[in-house]
Structures are given as structure tokens and as C-alpha cells.
Amino acid sequence: KNEVEQSPQNLTAQEGEFITINCSYSVGISALHWLQQHPGGGIVSLFMLSSGKKKHGRLIATINIQEKHSSLHITASHPRDSAVYICAVLNSGGGADGLTFGKGTHLIIQP
Amino acid sequence: DTGVSQNPRHKITKRGQNVTFRCDPISEHNRLYWYRQTLGQGPEFLTYFQNEAQLEKSRLLSDRFSAERPKGSFSTLEIQRTEQGDSAMYLCASSHGTLHADTQYFGPGTRLTVL
């Protein structure tokens, strides 16, 4: 089973700061997802990556397959970015049981 | 709102009772997933359906759990003889593609509390 580690577990920053959240995994994967979970449970998919880099608005996600590492960056952070950010990976050649989620990074952006 | 709905949103039950949750996916989505999330943890895969067929179950899914998707549309998850350890958020997600890597759209979840 893939071990997915996220860091930091908790992050508090001031509005406008550049935010980086990291995700490392132990076993080769076919895809990695970044998800955003707001209080109350709602989960929204932000990115799906299998290589390289993706950008959507103020969010940037990168993945290094060789190093088994991905980062999620938020530029010009805003209080509405406050949420839990979860990294999820799909093992190479695995079935649905190969979907492994990290514990999440709890981000608070203060005005 | 992702278009995936779950009912009820909250359920409080006594140990030993049976509970049933419902998930209505986005209408054209052929895949439907169930996950369980406990406090401070990420979601854990329970089972998934391709149309009406249940194709995979996690070892986490004990005999007390059963899921159905009778017409390939909505799905139900039933827990029999609930235990306190079943207390968690139960999440449903759907996707359009045929790959587990495809983007999944999550419902708001059903929070179960077993007293």
C-alpha cells in the first residue's frame, strides 16, 4: 500500500503570502490528485497530475515522478483559501483499492 | 455544489441499529465510489461501481456493510448492527470516465454518529 505523507499538517499564514503544501508517496503511481475540503465535508477536485505542472488561477501544482513528490502552491493567498488540502495517489496498475489519500494539510489564511 | 447529493447529511443512531445512506451521482457518470473518513484522516476507499456492477471492495468493508446501485444511477450503503467504530463521514463520489485516475466529484457526505 502506498504511504502518502503531507507536510505541513497545519499552516497559518497572512493574506497575500505564497503558500506551499508538499506531498510525498512511497510507491510508483499513475496519477496524483490535489483536493480541497471545506468545513462540513465538501471535497472539490483541484488538479489531476501524472507529470509536470498545472496552473489554474492562483493555484499551481507540480509533480516530480522520480522523486515521488508533488507540491501545491497558492499565490496571493486569501482567507477564502482556508481549507484542508488533500493529496491522493493512484498506484500504478492498481485497482480502486490503490487510491490512497493523505491526511490533509489544514490551511488558515488570516486577513 | 458538485452535483452529487447525499442523504441524510447527518445520522445519529444507537449501537446495534441498521442505517442506510443514499448517494445520487451526476446523472451521466458511470462510476460511483464510496469512501469513509474519520476525524483528522483522509478518505479511505470502501467500494466502487461501474454502472450497476460492484467491481471492487476494500478489505475495510466488513460483512456488516453492503452497497447497491440497482439501476446504475443512485447508490445505497447499508451498515447493519452498527458499532461505535463505524462513526465517521461517509463520502460518495462519481466520475464519468473508465479510469480511477479520472476526476471524481464528491458529495457533501453523511456524518454518522453511533452512540
Side-chain angles (χ1 to χ4, degrees):
Chain A
K1 186 167 176 67
N2 218 331
E3 299 294 330
V4 179
E5 297 288 337
Q6 287 187 236
S7 64
Q9 291 185 9
N10 298 282
L11 177 58
T12 299
Q14 295 299 120
E15 184 174 357
E17 286 189 39
F18 181 82
I19 303 298
T20 296
I21 298 170
N22 297 299
C23 174
S24 297
Y25 50 92
S26 58
V27 179
I29 64 170
S30 60
L32 181 145
H33 291 265
W34 281 102
L35 309 167
Q36 181 191 57
Q37 185 170 28
H38 281 285
I43 293 179
V44 175
S45 179
L46 299 174
F47 294 103
M48 191 280 284
L49 295 163
S50 54
S51 65
K53 176 180 174 178
K54 287 190 177 179
K55 184 176 188 295
H56 186 258
R58 295 179 295 105
L59 301 178
I60 303 166
T62 64
I63 188 168
N64 186 317
I65 296 295
Q66 286 73 30
E67 295 187 3
K68 296 186 177 61
H69 181 269
S70 175
S71 293
L72 176 68
H73 305 285
I74 305 174
T75 62
S77 59
H78 190 276
R80 65 175 175 267
D81 297 326
S82 299
V84 176
Y85 291 85
I86 300 173
C87 168
V89 302
L90 177 65
N91 291 351
S92 298
D97 202 28
L99 287 164
T100 307
F101 294 75
K103 292 183 180 180
T105 293
H106 190 190
L107 174 66
I108 297 173
I109 303 297
Q110 295 178 334
Chain B
D1 184 358
T2 61
V4 179
S5 60
Q6 291 187 245
N7 289 288
R9 294 292 305 277
H10 299 91
K11 178 71 178 178
I12 300 174
T13 190
K14 293 183 179 178
R15 190 175 52 188
Q17 298 294 305
N18 298 343
V19 294
T20 299
F21 311 140
R22 176 177 169 128
C23 170
D24 286 88
I26 295 172
S27 60
E28 65 268 22
H29 284 188
N30 48 18
R31 285 205 166 182
L32 186 148
Y33 298 78
W34 283 101
Y35 298 95
R36 180 175 67 188
Q37 185 177 27
T38 54
L39 201 61
Q41 303 294 316
E44 295 173 300
F45 166 76
L46 293 179
T47 187
Y48 93 93
F49 292 83
Q50 175 85 26
N51 300 311
E52 67 275 8
Q54 187 175 18
L55 295 187
E56 204 168 330
K57 295 187 216 179
S58 165
R59 61 188 178 282
L60 295 173
L61 212 64
S62 77
D63 291 345
R64 297 184 297 104
F65 288 70
S66 62
E68 294 183 340
R69 194 183 184 197
K71 296 181 180 179
S73 56
F74 72 92
S75 175
T76 57
L77 178 68
E78 181 183 16
I79 309 174
Q80 296 182 327
R81 305 180 302 282
T82 52
E83 301 172 356
Q84 287 185 325
D86 297 331
S87 295
M89 176 78 87
Y90 289 84
L91 295 163
C92 169
S94 69
S95 68
H96 181 58
T98 57
L99 300 174
H100 299 305
D102 292 328
T103 297
Q104 296 184 18
Y105 295 81
F106 285 80
T110 294
R111 184 170 296 283
L112 172 67
T113 302
V114 181
L115 301 175

